[in-house]
Amino acid sequence: MQNKAFIIAIDGPAASGKGTLARNLASHYGFHHLDTGLTYRAVAKALIDQGLPLDDEAIAARVAQELDLKGLDRTVLSAHEIGEAASKVAVMPEVRRALVEAQRKFADNLPGTVLDGRDIGTVVCPDARVKLYITASAEVRAERRFNEMRAKNADADYNAVLDDLKRRDERDMNRSASPLKPASDAHLIDTSKMDIEAAFLEAKKLIDAALRS
Ligand code: C5P
């Protein structure tokens, strides 16, 4: 019996397909899953709901320290404006410090965990057994987001979605605290021309090999 959690770290930009892949892998292997983007979103939403500023590091860090990972509601937190606000609070080192601590505790859950985000393989779980970096061109990612919004009958403009994704990529990749980048030992999976099933099979091959070793 293993007494150390088998950790799968999945990183990548918005709408790369990493969230769906992480959920599918967790369900396949019977592992716990944490979408770490929700933790940044929850901090942003709590600040907005309480009428607090998004750029005060001490206030945002206090909210981050009080966050309960069990109360994260994907439906409520998925709103577009919350994602935008989340990427603003995510630039603050004290907020990251508090959330990373909670994420690391979660990662230790037996028998294993899947965490997805921007800095899992590089900062949160540098010793993860498998690291995946999921990417796709900005145009393909914007089309996916656009189709999702249309399916929910939300107003959507492809060019606005594309501009938005590029702005968020820019903020996530160029911030000084834990910028989005592949870990040196991450496996790159480009889903531009791949459906979710193909991405799952590729990830499964890598994970099965690591589980055997
Ligand atoms: O993945 P999601 O779109 O929900 O993430 C929202 C924002 O939270 C991202 O744009 C990013 O700025 C931030 N984030 C982060 N580190 C993570 C996960 C998310 O900085 N591990």
Side-chain angles (χ1 to χ4, degrees):
M1 182 72 189
Q2 284 281 1
N3 60 0
K4 208 160 172 253
F6 186 99
I7 302 174
I8 303 171
I10 307 186
D11 292 302
S16 56
K18 66 181 188 308
T20 310
L21 178 64
R23 280 193 297 280
N24 292 350
L25 289 171
S27 135
H28 178 79
Y29 290 101
F31 287 176
H32 308 270
H33 169 232
L34 178 64
D35 170 353
T36 60
L38 293 184
T39 64
Y40 291 90
R41 285 172 180 262
V43 171
K45 181 166 190 305
L47 292 169
I48 294 169
D49 287 353
Q50 294 171 60
L52 295 168
L54 287 172
D55 59 356
D56 185 315
E57 187 159 357
I59 294 177
R62 205 180 59 229
V63 170
Q65 282 152 12
E66 286 162 6
L67 189 72
D68 178 4
L69 295 193
K70 288 187 201 81
L72 301 172
D73 182 338
R74 216 163 92 81
T75 317
V76 175
L77 296 172
S78 68
H80 178 71
E81 318 75 67
I82 299 181
E84 186 67 21
S87 79
K88 290 182 185 152
V89 303
V91 303
M92 298 187 267
E94 288 303 320
V95 171
R96 303 199 70 85
R97 200 189 315 275
L99 294 182
V100 166
E101 192 184 319
Q103 293 161 9
R104 283 187 179 142
K105 268 193 203 130
F106 181 93
D108 287 336
N109 271 304
L110 293 170
T113 48
V114 182
L115 282 82
D116 68 282
R118 304 289 191 289
D119 59 342
I120 310 302
T122 49
V123 175
V124 181
C125 302
D127 297 328
R129 291 287 301 278
V130 178
K131 297 182 186 178
L132 305 173
Y133 189 85
I134 313 300
T135 178
S137 71
E139 287 71 20
V140 167
R141 290 186 287 123
E143 200 177 317
R144 285 180 191 151
R145 228 349 101 76
F146 173 73
N147 290 336
E148 268 168 33
M149 291 165 90
R150 288 279 290 267
K152 287 188 204 150
N153 290 323
D155 268 347
D157 168 28
Y158 171 81
N159 286 317
V161 174
L162 178 61
D163 284 351
D164 216 78
L165 273 183
K166 286 185 174 165
R167 201 173 49 238
R168 194 122 78 86
D169 285 355
E170 163 80 19
R171 201 181 287 140
D172 289 345
M173 289 172 177
N174 295 310
R175 65 181 179 219
S176 52
S178 312
L180 168 65
K181 61 169 185 221
S184 57
D185 51 350
H187 301 277
L188 257 58
I189 300 181
D190 186 332
T191 65
S192 301
K193 295 192 184 117
M194 207 185 249
D195 63 16
I196 192 65
E197 183 59 21
F200 174 83
L201 291 175
E202 183 149 340
K204 182 175 175 299
K205 226 188 300 167
L206 296 163
I207 296 164
D208 286 346
L211 278 165
R212 278 194 303 270
S213 70

